[in-house]
Amino acid sequence: MDYQTLLTTACQQLTFKPSRGQLDALNVYLELFIKWNNAYNLSAIRDPNEMVVKHLLDSLSVAHLIDGERFIDVGTGGGLPGIPLAICFPHRHFTLLDSAGKKTRFLFQVKQTLKLDNVQVENCRVESYQPEKLYDGVISRAFASLRDMTDYCQHLIHEDGKFWAMKGVFPDHELSEMEKHYKVFASYPLQVPGLEEQRCLVVLHKENNQ
């Protein structure tokens, strides 16, 4: 099965089902990703079918769960999960932040090609980024730990904002190392079509606005 067919078929198994136009945009994004990956090393994964499952479907597995209007995808790399989510939610704003210039150059190309007016690309370190307007949520697949995510990103969200952490197995050990004023708001097991490995989404918030 070619990767375009795989994407179309597998998306029918997701809770959030992209439209035909959104599927077309996801395919264009994947084609650009494959092309640029050879020179820019966006991902260690080279097989297009594996990219569909571990990049696109993995990103879209949280689409039905996130709420809010303004998100920042920190350590976005090649735009995951930010680009797939921006394609599927054109009326929500997504800032994609990464410190690697070659990756943000790729993201600018994606933004221009797909005319993603709801995407903003920032090439800097997260601790130095000062947004003009605070976000409803920080979302990431890439942070090493929940403690790092909250420590480095707490200045990016407003007092009711949340951290949306995409993880493998439920991170009990990471939660035990966090500052006590951060609490688990919700957690969800994620179903990624074609992937047998465990995935979950952990949503954190700061208690009592301390």
Side-chain angles (χ1 to χ4, degrees):
M1 185 184 297
D2 64 78
Y3 64 84
Q4 291 98 339
T5 303
L6 173 62
L7 178 62
T8 301
T9 303
C11 278
Q12 297 307 308
Q13 301 174 46
L14 294 169
T15 303
F16 176 89
K17 295 175 176 57
S19 68
R20 181 68 257 173
Q22 290 166 347
L23 283 170
D24 290 343
L26 289 166
N27 270 309
V28 172
Y29 168 55
L30 185 56
E31 288 168 2
L32 288 169
F33 197 103
I34 293 167
K35 179 181 176 181
W36 284 61
N37 196 34
N38 292 326
Y40 279 62
N41 196 29
L42 302 171
S43 168
I45 296 173
R46 302 294 176 180
D47 178 68
N49 284 3
E50 197 174 353
M51 287 181 179
V52 168
V53 174
K54 293 188 175 180
H55 290 336
L56 298 188
L57 298 177
D58 189 64
S59 295
L60 293 174
S61 67
V62 302
H64 65 295
L65 297 170
I66 61 172
D67 62 76
E69 298 302 318
R70 285 175 48 80
F71 291 89
I72 181 166
D73 177 5
V74 177
T76 186
L80 301 160
I83 291 291
L85 293 176
I87 288 170
C88 291
F89 297 107
H91 300 299
R92 293 176 174 178
H93 173 89
F94 292 87
T95 296
L96 310 182
L97 185 145
D98 203 279
S99 60
K102 63 182 182 179
K103 292 178 179 177
T104 55
R105 284 194 291 276
F106 166 70
L107 296 175
F108 276 116
Q109 181 65 47
V110 173
K111 173 181 166 68
Q112 291 180 330
T113 301
L114 294 176
K115 297 180 172 58
L116 295 175
D117 295 333
N118 61 330
V119 166
Q120 174 183 341
V121 180
E122 295 291 341
N123 175 211
C124 64
R125 297 183 63 84
V126 63
E127 55 267 35
S128 65
Y129 179 57
Q130 299 294 330
E132 293 182 8
K133 183 178 178 181
L134 296 177
Y135 295 92
D136 298 321
V138 173
I139 188 166
S140 184
R141 301 166 79 223
F143 263 96
S145 72
L146 296 175
R147 176 69 182 264
D148 285 348
M149 188 179 190
T150 51
D151 282 355
Y152 288 115
C153 302
Q154 58 184 332
H155 66 290
L156 301 176
I157 58 174
H158 56 69
E159 62 181 19
D160 295 320
K162 300 182 182 71
F163 298 90
W164 304 79
M166 299 174 68
K167 292 287 182 179
V169 297
F170 189 80
D172 290 293
H173 179 67
E174 291 181 31
L175 287 168
S176 69
E177 296 179 335
M178 289 183 56
E179 296 284 353
K180 298 304 180 186
H181 51 270
Y182 285 106
K183 303 295 182 183
V184 176
F185 179 82
S187 64
Y188 307 94
L190 300 175
Q191 300 299 322
V192 181
L195 187 67
E196 295 183 0
E197 302 163 21
Q198 289 187 48
R199 290 286 190 272
C200 70
L201 176 67
V202 180
V203 187
L204 305 169
H205 72 131
K206 197 171 184 179
E207 197 172 57
N208 300 323
N209 303 323
Q210 295 177 5

